[in-house]
Amino acid sequence: MPDSAMPFLVLTRAGFDDVAARVDLARAALYLNPGLLTESEIARLRETGTAVHVMATAVDPLKPQEVQQALLLTRSAGGSVWVERGAPRATPVAKAAERLQPASPAQNPATPLGRRLARSAGVLALDALRRLRAPEHGRRLLAVPYLGFGNTHRIWLKGRLLDEAAFREQSGTDSGWQNLVALYRRLESDEVADARVLARLQAQTFETRTDAGGYFSFDFAPDAPLSPGWHTVELEFPDNVQPDGAALRAQADIKVPAAGARFGIISDIDDTVLWTNVTNKLNMALMLARTNHHTRKPFKGVAGFYRALRDGVSGNEDNPLFYVSSSPWHLYGPLVDFLKLQDIPLGPLLLRELSVRQVLKLTEHGNHKLEQIERIIDFYPGMQFILIGDSGEQDPEIYTEVVRRHPGAVKMIYIRNVNPDPSRIDALDRLIDEVSAVGTQLVLSPDSVFAASHAAAEGLIAVDRLASIRTDKRDDELASPPGTTL
């Protein structure tokens, strides 16, 4: 989309007529409900320079949640979108002057005065508590560095500083109550804000500070090129003196892809690698509370399929894997432990920054995933990627938007079909047609063996790995508890 193009989310014919009467369509980007305009009308618009995108799934202008999900996939980072407002059902024709309203990422609904005052008091109390805590002396803190990634000339890593000595290691014999307590402790961990963080690599030192959530991040260029493989960044928190009198220290690992890597793999986690039932928030909460990384199981055959993708058709390509999920960073440790226990290739995880009250409110997961995928692509402009997700929520729409923005960067899309609803299948068929127009395949797959067979036929993995993937799937079936469907 050109920088000068103003995006419009248009949901009805009346809304389109209103936009056409008000703006120069040659300088607009239109996101339209399917069937709103005829093919000839769309062709004429494109001939005059209008950027026209037909959404795969129809959006009801009277349903705010559907409008919000569409908005996440249309607005550019930090920008605004003109959104058609649904008219009240009692007045089906709205005034033209009221039909469009600007939406910005920071827009919030009005809040009653009493609630705003209570919230302000809470923020002030929290800030006061943080000021009393800083600097931190003599208390045991926990630095949680996350796996980072980079190329030969640039590094990105993230982590968090918490007011916790440690999390208790969980086991396969933990009860549901012990799992619930462990989950609560992770979600309610106290962050340490405004703390200095030093990162050292190749005799260079970089500095930042933790934000209000205790998170810190680095994006820097080392003096000397980095070789492929894993590298260690030394972290120090100089103002956070521990009981032994020394400053808190930690180490962060970063991965630079191998020179022989043919492609990268970007995978969702929820309901793609690990069954979480993310489309049903109550069941998801119960699952998280009842189980841990020892007792959860992957989708059948995922481990073998991902190992084959990592190794590639030659068997030694070392193609990098990245995991992008709407799960909160609080669950980073258990997710990494799960990948290790299941022998699923390890790679950087890019999760969400969430408070405990927001953990199950995933309505804006699409925006997060899109931003993180674009971050990865930005680091590897010459690399193509395989995108893997499921049809339960917005993965197909998000991946299609990636293709729109970076048509040459997406080699293949594999979507696990977990939603048999005919309207959802129709929407996916439209996405398949759209991405195929630029040479990308979107493959609906019932399971990992099907996806692996397609990947072998496309020359992405070695054909002789199919037998081991089938064996891996059978082993997962035998390991699944009775009655479990994965």
Side-chain angles (χ1 to χ4, degrees), residues 148-150 154-158 217-219 254 350 375 379:
F149 59 90
R154 183 181 167 200
I155 290 300
W156 183 87
L157 67 90
K158 187 180 181 74
S217 62
F218 289 93
D219 188 335
I254 55 174
L350 290 86
R375 183 194 300 277
F379 266 81

Side-chain angles (χ1 to χ4, degrees), residues 318-351:
D318 196 15
N319 298 311
L321 281 96
F322 304 84
Y323 298 93
V324 178
S325 171
S326 295
S327 293
W329 282 108
H330 305 69
L331 301 181
Y332 172 84
L335 287 174
V336 169
D337 290 339
F338 171 83
L339 294 176
K340 292 178 178 178
L341 283 169
Q342 300 299 330
D343 197 20
I344 299 173
L346 196 60
L349 282 70
L350 290 86
L351 310 181

